[in-house]
Structures are given as structure tokens and as C-alpha cells.
Amino acid sequence: MTTATAGGAPPPAAPPAPRPRPAKSVTGTRKWIAAVFLLPALVLLGALVVYPIGFSIYRSFFDQSGHSFAGIDNYKTLFTDHTIRTAVKNNAIWVVCAPTVATVLGLIFAVLTERVRWGTAFKLIVFMPMAISMLAAGIIFRLVYEQDPARGVANAVVVGVHDTFTTSAGYPKAHPLPAAPLKDAGGGAFITRTAVHAGQPALLPLVGVAAGTMPASAGTAKAAPGEPGKVTGTVWLDFTKGGGGRPNVIDARELGLKGIKVEAVKDGRTVASTTAAADGTFTLPAAADGAQLRLPESNFHQPYNGIEWLGPTLVTPAIIGSYIWMWAGFAMVLIAAGLAGLPRELLEAARVDGANEWQVFRRVTVPLLAPVLAVVLVTLMINVLKIFDLVFIIAPGSSQADANVLALQLYRSSFGTEADLGIGSAIAVLLLLLVIPVMLFNIRRMRREGRR
């Protein structure tokens, strides 16, 4: 029921509600302002990215001079030239091995250091190589992989471990003089010219060992005493420092060849063996009576100098090892950040349900870290496709062709006296085509993450 106002007139109608204004963008309706702000970025993008890509694709269809159209000949060369095929194969090895190993190591480091008190310090040490440039890392590992154990850390460790279990021969260049009682037995061994007998000490003189390389524990050579029923003798360095010595005679200042192996041989069969003492003397049992004494070739092997890390066979794995040393810390830091954000209640629920630590790690931790692991893996894959510095610096000239990768081959094909910019541009386009699928995968992954 409507209540009338004084005079019988109806009440005034309520004013209409205001209509909501449409939301405006940051620039309002003036689109030209957005274009003005975007124009510098678009110009730079076109000048520094789009134009070089377009010109590289265009140039890849021309010959070395750049004047004659070559069609797809440059692309055919990529798969027929042995050097470029080696680079493609090595790039495949890099893409498969380096990111995978670096990511796995980063995951292991992040998980193992999560609960230890000194975990932060350990992570800092592992991450420190990231602060070193590729150039400096290459120089460091060129020295680490030096063949000489006195200079190369890797071979110093390998030789130390090897010599702990296997004694290296100490006399690689030792040999008898033509007038010595020894003669060449073939295969690097030496044997007495005549048979030896019990009670008659044998003399086995050798030369060719530098005095400075003699073992520190080698003593002054002594004539072995005759023993009934046993064959005795002396093997020594028949060289007197400063001159004055007599051949085939043990002089006062001559040294015994400590540790050298002596075998008694009858009818081609070894019947007894022993090693010389510090003064060069040795004793063989009665079975050696009437035998010839042989110094086997194992006495004269070159000393073990470790592994040829930068040779044709191992140069690529060695360089990948240096890359992992640098980038495992990067992977560890990203994975540790993801690990810190995991819901702890899920991990504790799995432990309450009876799962052991390995099951928790494999069935809960790793699946929850899958997005972070994908980021690390994809980032490293893109990074190794462009690897250049480490290969160029670490690989010596003799094995650089065996360690070749596409980025290095791009440099070698594009510059120098025999530069072929057509081939170089084709390699650049190939690298672009290899990177695009990885980038598309990364974009799709980020979009999926954004929709969650």
C-alpha cells in the first residue's frame, strides 16, 4: 500500500543504480602508447634476433663466395663430411650424458645435504665452480688432465692408486753391454749366455739407467757369496759416476738394482725366481743349478704414467666431466629450492604408512620434484647444444677433431683462411633446429604449470 505525501502526490522514484564501467587496460584506449613502448624492444629483437636468423637461413643456400646459389648442397655436406658428422655425434653424446648426469648428481647432493648440519657449506662449495668462467675452467682442467703425473692431478691420483697395488718397473731403459755375460732373449728380456751352477756366483751387469732415477733405497753393489746347493749372484748398474770403473766388475761406487726379478730357466721353463736385494744380490734354490738366468721383460717396462685423458678415445668424456664439475652445483641449488617447498606432511604420511627412505624418495620425492627436474634438464640441454669454450680450450690440437662439436665446427667453418660461410650458416641453422624442440617443450611445460 503506497503512502501518499501531503497534497496527495505520489513519492518521487528512486534514482537508477549507476552502470559499472568497463575495466580499462594500463594504457586505456590509447593503443598507440603501447606500440610506442614496445617499439624499441621490437626493433632490438628484429635487429639482434630475427634478422640474423633470417640472413643465416638465406646465406646457407649459397656457396663459399656467397654469389652462386647452392641449393641444399651445404646441408648435404653436414651429413657427408666426416668432421661435421663427428661433431653431430659428439653433440648427441653431450645432450644425452651431460644434462642427465649433472641433474642426477644435483638431485643426490640436494637430498643428502638436506638434513645435515653442514649442508649449506657443502652446497656453497659445490656451487662455487659456477662463479668460474668457461675459459678459466678449461685452463684448470687442461692442467688436471695432463699426461705427466707430476703435473696432472687426475693421473697423479690414478698412478698413486695403481702403484699401491702394482709395483711399476724401475729400469725401463736398462740393457747389457755387448761384452756382458747377458744377451738379448727376445721380447725385451735378457738371458745369460751360459748356464749357471751352485756355488759359483753369477754376475749380471746392466747399463742405461740414469743415476738420478735409481731408487733411493738402492745400496752399494756387493759380490754375492757362494753357497753350497744354491745359485747366487749380483745384478747391478755397471756404471761408476765420474768414470774409472771396469766393465763386468763390481766396483766400489756402483749400485745394486734393487727389486729386479731374476728367473732360472731350463728348457724354456721357469724353475725358480727371486728378486734382488738393495745391494743387487739374489739367491735361488738348488733347482736353478744348471739353468740359465733370465731377466724378464717386466723389469724393463716403461713406468705407468696413468691414463691418456685427452687422447682420441677419452677426450669427449673427459671434457664432459669438467662440464659436470661446473654445472652440478647449478642443478643442486635449483633442486634444493624445489625440495624445500615440498609438503612435508606427504613425506611423513608415507613414512607412517611403512615406506622406507628409498621408497619415499622414489615414489614421493622424485614425482613431486618432476617439474623442477624438467626445468634443470631442459636448461642444461639447451646449454650443452651451444658448448664451445671447454672443447676449444681443453682438447689439444692432436685430438680436437675427435672432440669436435657443432658450435666449435661453426667457428672453424666460418673463420680462417678457408672459411665457408655457406657451411657455417648451415651449421647455425641446424643448431637452431635442434634447439627449437627443446624450447617448445619448455614453453608447453610452463603453460601447463601456469594453468594449475
Side-chain angles (χ1 to χ4, degrees), residues 81 83-84 87 404-414 427:
D81 183 82
T83 303
I84 301 178
N404 199 16
V405 290
L406 284 173
L408 177 58
Q409 185 59 41
L410 170 61
Y411 169 78
R412 294 168 67 179
S413 296
S414 301
I427 296 173

Side-chain angles (χ1 to χ4, degrees), residues 219-221 240 245-246 249-255:
T220 302
T240 301
R246 295 164 294 169
V249 176
I250 302 175
D251 295 300
R253 289 184 293 166
E254 293 176 345
L255 300 175

Side-chain angles (χ1 to χ4, degrees), residues 127-446:
F127 188 74
M128 279 179 64
M130 282 294 298
I132 303 174
S133 69
M134 286 282 195
L135 173 65
I139 294 172
I140 290 170
F141 275 89
R142 182 66 181 268
L143 296 174
V144 167
Y145 292 135
E146 273 282 348
Q147 182 66 39
D148 184 1
R151 298 180 61 192
V153 175
N155 271 336
V157 173
V158 171
V159 171
V161 173
H162 174 273
D163 289 351
T164 300
F165 300 98
T166 304
T167 303
S168 296
Y171 314 103
K173 297 181 180 180
H175 62 277
L177 291 171
L182 291 165
K183 64 178 181 179
D184 189 358
F190 303 102
I191 195 168
T192 55
R193 298 179 185 274
T194 59
V196 296
H197 299 281
Q200 300 176 3
L203 297 177
L204 306 179
L206 294 173
V207 295
V209 182
T213 63
M214 289 289 289
S217 56
T220 302
K222 296 180 180 179
E227 295 185 26
K230 294 183 179 180
V231 173
T232 60
T234 304
V235 54
W236 82 101
L237 178 61
D238 193 14
F239 172 79
T240 301
K241 191 174 182 181
R246 295 164 294 169
N248 302 331
V249 176
I250 302 175
D251 295 300
R253 289 184 293 166
E254 293 176 345
L255 300 175
L257 296 178
K258 179 186 176 181
I260 200 165
K261 187 176 182 180
V262 182
E263 296 177 341
V265 179
K266 286 183 179 179
D267 301 324
R269 185 170 57 90
T270 302
V271 296
S273 65
T274 187
T275 56
D279 58 5
T281 59
F282 60 88
T283 302
L284 290 165
D289 188 22
Q292 289 178 283
L293 299 184
R294 180 175 64 189
L295 304 179
E297 51 86 22
S298 59
N299 292 311
F300 311 109
H301 281 161
Q302 290 289 337
Y304 182 68
N305 287 320
I307 299 170
E308 191 181 6
W309 297 103
L310 299 182
T313 305
L314 294 178
V315 62
T316 295
I319 300 173
I320 290 176
S322 66
Y323 178 88
I324 292 170
W325 174 79
M326 289 191 66
W327 287 86
F330 167 81
M332 178 197 65
V333 169
L334 290 189
I335 295 171
L339 197 61
L342 292 184
R344 299 296 163 176
E345 59 272 12
L346 294 180
L347 304 179
E348 294 303 325
R351 294 187 181 99
V352 170
D353 289 341
N356 57 36
E357 290 301 320
W358 168 246
Q359 291 172 326
V360 171
F361 171 75
R362 185 166 59 92
R363 297 182 178 274
V364 181
T365 304
V366 172
L368 290 176
L369 284 175
V372 179
L373 295 177
V375 170
V376 174
L377 197 62
V378 170
T379 302
L380 294 181
M381 287 177 68
I382 295 174
N383 187 269
V384 299
L385 281 171
K386 305 178 295 179
I387 196 69
F388 167 81
D389 319 58
L390 288 177
V391 180
F392 184 72
I393 297 166
I394 295 177
S398 58
S399 58
Q400 197 170 87
D402 299 287
N404 199 16
V405 290
L406 284 173
L408 177 58
Q409 185 59 41
L410 170 61
Y411 169 78
R412 294 168 67 179
S413 296
S414 301
F415 302 98
T417 55
E418 298 181 1
D420 188 337
L421 291 179
I423 298 292
S425 299
I427 296 173
V429 173
L430 176 61
L431 274 173
L432 175 65
L433 294 176
L434 292 175
V435 170
I436 285 176
V438 182
M439 293 180 62
L440 291 177
F441 170 80
N442 207 21
I443 292 171
R444 290 182 59 188
R445 183 196 58 76
M446 288 189 292

